[in-house]
Amino acid sequence: MDDKFLEPYDHKATEARIYKEWEESGYFNPDICIEKGVTAPDAEPYTIMMPPPNATGVLHMGHALMLTIEDILVRYHRMNGRRTLWLPGTDHAAIATQSKVEKEISKKEGKSRHDLGREELVRRIEEFVEDSRSTIRSQIRVMGASCDWSREAFTFDEPRNRAVRTIFKMMYDDGLIYQGNRIVNWDPKGQTTISDDEIVHEERVTKLYTFKYSPDFPISISTTRPETKVGDTAVAVHPDDPRYKEYVGKEYDMVFAGVPIHIKIVADEEADPAFGTGALGVTPAHSQADWAIADRHNLPRPQVINEFAKMTVGGPELLGKKTTEAREVIVSWLREQNLLEKEEDTKQNISTAERTGGVVEPLPKLQWFIDVNKKISARGNRSLKELMRDAVAGEEKDGPIRIVPEHFSKTYFNWINNLRDWCISRQIWYGHRVPVWYRGDEMYCGVEAPEGAGWEQDPDTLDTWFSAGIWTFSALGWPEKTEDLKIYHPTHVLETGYEILFFWIARMILMTEYALGEVPFKTIYLHGTVRDGQGRKMSKSLGNGIDPLDIAEKFGADAGRMALIAGTAPGTDSKISEDKIKGYKHFANKIWNITRFVLSNTENIPSEEPALSEKDAAHVKELETLCREVTADLEAYRLHLASEKIYHYIWHTFADVIIEEAKPRLLGADAADKLSCQWFLREALLTSLQLLHPFMPFVTEEIWKSARWPNLSPVLMVEKWPKG
RNA sequence: GGGCGAUUAGCUCAGUUGGUAGAGCAACCCGUUUACACCGGGAAGGUCGGGGGUUCAAGUCCCUCAUCGCCCACCA
């Protein structure tokens, strides 16, 4: 017996060394597994694309949970003989990364992005991203993730860049990507558009003002944003509202707060007779809803607020003022003119930009969009929205993709049903540049820049989810027709947090169905949010975050992994505390001690199965049942149950019952019974280590290597899975 | 406003297709024996949020009420 078993298990002296040995063995790479004969050349593939962490810094507990779940699945399938690929990567996370680096530069050097210029800013960001990526790589290693580093990809490296330009061109040629002047969510702080999904709503108390544009205007309206009213072109009333019927169709010219306005009274279902006065002042250029009303009634849409949230009309008291100041100016003007009828407190959800916290200003702008409703002839005359809907199994449809837990399919369909065209252009500098060039009135879209002089590329970059959407196949080399793409796509499981079901998962389905005509993955496994011991979200401001690296250092990555997965059902939030993790550190030591006992009692016994006593035959049956149950749980994504069953068997059956009962038998005079007992002790240990390996890979591998059992694979990671 | 989920032992949560209620932690009693005090043995603890229904049988399926939470949304 190796002397190290005489001491308690030391994760610090073990984990990094074992990871290095795995890496050097090459077994993370499925090709090498075939080469070395541990995987059959014709084995069925099993693929997971790692959701690429944002290159904005360090990994948190959510990433640790993601890596744990995926590594369990990957190690299980690898042991089960599948040609297993887990492809790691990082995401350039355009807007998140740029705003992070901009903040740092502004803090350290007091410079803005305009002081540096586009090229210099991008260079600085790339530097930061390189650092960040190498930190992330080492953190992924600490967690024990058995991913294939030889295939590592980055959403913004050259092959992925090319993939983005290629699919953009395809969609442009198919008329799915179009440029449109539409109302978009403008972030005045970040100076860019953002998608609907990058908005967070904050409830605030604000004033609701009720007033008339002028003394001779017949209808009063209510608004929370008086400053936008200089951009009004209509008042909408409900078609059935008897109070206003007589005015519908009439037009009025007035001067409102020094700005001439022309108002038409229109009848529109959008106006709610029960809200306020039942009449709605229509500001087409600065409200999504009003833009739509203007569409229906063919109204002009003057813009009165600019990209810096400042007024672009009015006299000196208004022009150039911030919207918040302009509001004061207009309210006092209304008071002076005796036009203000009511002023009341109301609760309002205001839209803010997730990344910068800026208050979103709806503005009409020329942007690039993806049309989700246009029929695509090459895809059975279905639209992108229909492709997304048809791909998923649920009450509405019975598509090929299954979501775990199932109830999230309802959320998914609900989102699809409300989906609008996707604005993909951003006015930030870090990201995939829109592959469109202009020269005078000419416009060119292509994978490469056009020939000839005088072409200017569109300055906009693409929403980071555009490149993330093609991840499952771009990371495998698309648009090249690579072997990897042929073998490993569609992937098997997409495992990620439920909070990015819409952002990312839905977009991957959209892009993959469009580009390849197949699903990106067969199963979506959603995990919940990892919270602190009291159930609060971990955050910097609360200071309650737990760093996975600290956990690995203090208790071992194995213990952290078990604590994350045990009792954590798919899709539900979980709580983690040091007490829980400590319990699993003790468990690692427990199996270490079990090994000490078994090894010291089974030296030099033959490896063939002897005649088993009745008791041991029953133990074998019990162990086989465990193997079957654990296997079934893993196949059905019940990882939390699988982990608990193994834990329970090892501690409370193997250690507490089988070993205790073995002690007198090992001292007894019955040689046949002793041999049977010894053989089963070893058998139970071997099987326990195999079953536990996906969950606690380090300690199990260390035991396996140090024990040096004859006739067994020297590396547990590629030992056969015990099916029972 | 629309959608989704939760409510089970003191705490944190499991409970797969309906078949005698489970784990971890905490608390209680006892214990150092071929591994392990990062331990073992034992006992205690729940009318599964309330009400109704389906069924031979319901924590599990259906209806309803209550409380809490999350997501989405252009009520000005």
Side-chain angles (χ1 to χ4, degrees), chain A residues 41 87 93 202 260 343 361 382 395 449 463 597 611 646 671 712 715:
Chain A
L87 194 150
E202 280 175 29
E343 189 174 330
E361 190 65 59
R382 288 175 299 161
E395 273 169 35
D463 181 4
F597 179 85
I646 299 164
L712 287 169
V715 181

Side-chain angles (χ1 to χ4, degrees), chain A residues 407-577:
Chain A
H407 72 254
F408 274 101
S409 64
K410 291 183 192 167
T411 314
Y412 176 83
F413 288 119
N414 194 261
W415 180 79
I416 303 262
N417 291 339
N418 297 314
L419 184 64
R420 297 183 296 166
D421 284 2
W422 170 18
C423 177
I424 52 170
S425 45
R426 299 288 181 274
Q427 289 66 52
I428 58 169
W429 291 343
Y430 183 60
H432 296 278
R433 194 95 172 245
V434 171
V436 170
W437 286 260
Y438 308 96
R439 182 166 70 183
D441 290 337
E442 289 176 275
M443 183 174 179
Y444 174 86
C445 174
V447 176
E448 304 298 341
E451 303 280 320
W455 290 96
E456 286 269 349
Q457 188 170 6
D458 193 304
D460 286 1
T461 50
L462 291 167
D463 181 4
T464 189
W465 299 105
F466 186 91
S467 53
I470 63 174
W471 180 243
T472 62
F473 55 99
S474 70
L476 290 171
W478 187 90
E480 306 301 322
K481 292 186 174 65
T482 60
E483 274 296 293
D484 273 5
L485 196 58
K486 221 186 295 171
I487 296 168
Y488 298 107
H489 203 276
T491 69
H492 289 80
V493 191
L494 188 279
E495 192 285 329
T496 188
Y498 59 68
E499 71 279 3
I500 52 176
L501 180 61
F502 309 135
F503 282 112
W504 188 39
I505 299 178
R507 262 91 195 237
M508 289 172 99
I509 296 173
L510 179 160
M511 298 293 247
T512 315
E513 283 283 356
Y514 166 73
L516 305 182
E518 64 183 25
V519 295
F521 30 70
K522 292 158 192 166
T523 302
I524 299 166
Y525 180 108
L526 297 172
H527 65 249
T529 307
V530 183
R531 296 165 179 275
D532 73 1
Q534 294 161 51
R536 300 172 304 178
K537 268 197 173 171
M538 294 186 188
S539 71
K540 273 188 191 149
S541 52
L542 279 175
N544 61 342
I546 299 179
D547 183 343
L549 288 185
D550 290 348
I551 295 303
E553 167 73 17
K554 202 163 166 193
F555 304 103
D558 280 337
R561 290 165 62 117
M562 269 306 260
L564 281 166
I565 201 64
T568 305
T572 51
D573 292 356
S574 56
K575 297 188 178 75
I576 191 132
S577 59

Side-chain angles (χ1 to χ4, degrees), chain A residues 184 193-195 367-370 421-426 463:
Chain A
V184 294
T193 49
I194 55 173
S195 71
Q367 296 291 332
W368 291 96
F369 294 90
I370 289 183
D421 284 2
W422 170 18
C423 177
I424 52 170
S425 45
R426 299 288 181 274
D463 181 4

Side-chain angles (χ1 to χ4, degrees), chain A residues 526-710:
Chain A
L526 297 172
H527 65 249
T529 307
V530 183
R531 296 165 179 275
D532 73 1
Q534 294 161 51
R536 300 172 304 178
K537 268 197 173 171
M538 294 186 188
S539 71
K540 273 188 191 149
S541 52
L542 279 175
N544 61 342
I546 299 179
D547 183 343
L549 288 185
D550 290 348
I551 295 303
E553 167 73 17
K554 202 163 166 193
F555 304 103
D558 280 337
R561 290 165 62 117
M562 269 306 260
L564 281 166
I565 201 64
T568 305
T572 51
D573 292 356
S574 56
K575 297 188 178 75
I576 191 132
S577 59
E578 292 212 348
D579 273 350
K580 187 175 181 186
I581 303 165
K582 196 161 73 186
Y584 290 105
K585 173 179 156 35
H586 295 175
F587 179 57
N589 193 52
K590 186 75 184 180
I591 189 148
W592 187 258
N593 287 317
I594 289 171
T595 307
R596 180 187 309 146
F597 179 85
V598 172
L599 287 181
S600 63
N601 281 291
T602 57
E603 272 173 305
N604 304 320
I605 63 160
S607 49
E608 308 80 60
E609 183 175 331
L612 289 183
S613 74
E614 213 171 291
K615 196 173 251 175
D616 292 323
H619 287 328
V620 167
K621 278 226 151 55
E622 186 183 23
L623 187 54
E624 283 170 355
T625 305
L626 174 74
C627 291
R628 277 196 303 275
E629 285 180 4
V630 168
T631 303
D633 283 338
L634 286 171
E635 290 289 340
Y637 300 99
R638 298 185 295 253
L639 311 190
H640 58 302
L641 295 186
S643 65
E644 283 159 27
K645 277 175 192 158
I646 299 164
Y647 173 90
H648 203 258
Y649 178 83
I650 291 175
W651 202 310
H652 300 296
T653 300
F654 189 12
D656 291 349
V657 178
I658 294 169
I659 287 185
E660 289 310 318
E661 164 198 292
K663 288 174 182 173
R665 294 174 67 197
L666 293 166
L667 293 172
D670 186 339
D673 183 63
K674 181 175 172 183
L675 186 60
S676 166
C677 179
Q678 286 173 309
W679 182 86
F680 181 71
L681 283 175
R682 187 170 65 187
E683 190 63 18
L685 178 58
L686 293 175
T687 307
S688 295
L689 290 171
Q690 290 166 325
L691 291 175
L692 186 59
H693 181 259
F695 300 88
M696 301 184 90
F698 290 113
V699 66
T700 50
E701 186 72 79
E702 173 71 351
I703 292 172
W704 195 266
K705 286 194 165 157
S706 310
R708 291 184 289 273
W709 285 289

Side-chain angles (χ1 to χ4, degrees), chain A residues 84-146:
Chain A
T84 304
L85 172 62
W86 186 16
L87 194 150
T90 33
D91 192 317
H92 69 292
I95 195 164
T97 310
Q98 178 169 327
S99 62
K100 172 137 195 173
V101 173
E102 276 189 73
K103 262 180 215 161
E104 271 186 17
I105 292 175
S106 143
K107 208 167 133 195
K108 280 189 201 149
E109 305 169 33
K111 286 182 182 165
S112 78
R113 67 156 128 162
H114 300 287
D115 297 330
L116 297 176
R118 185 166 188 153
E119 250 175 69
E120 176 62 9
L121 182 76
V122 169
R123 199 189 59 75
R124 297 282 200 97
I125 295 171
E126 277 169 354
E127 238 173 59
F128 169 85
V129 163
E130 266 321 300
D131 267 10
S132 184
R133 288 183 68 202
S134 70
T135 307
I136 290 170
R137 282 189 201 107
S138 71
Q139 285 184 303
I140 292 174
R141 285 179 164 91
V142 168
M143 288 305 295
S146 61

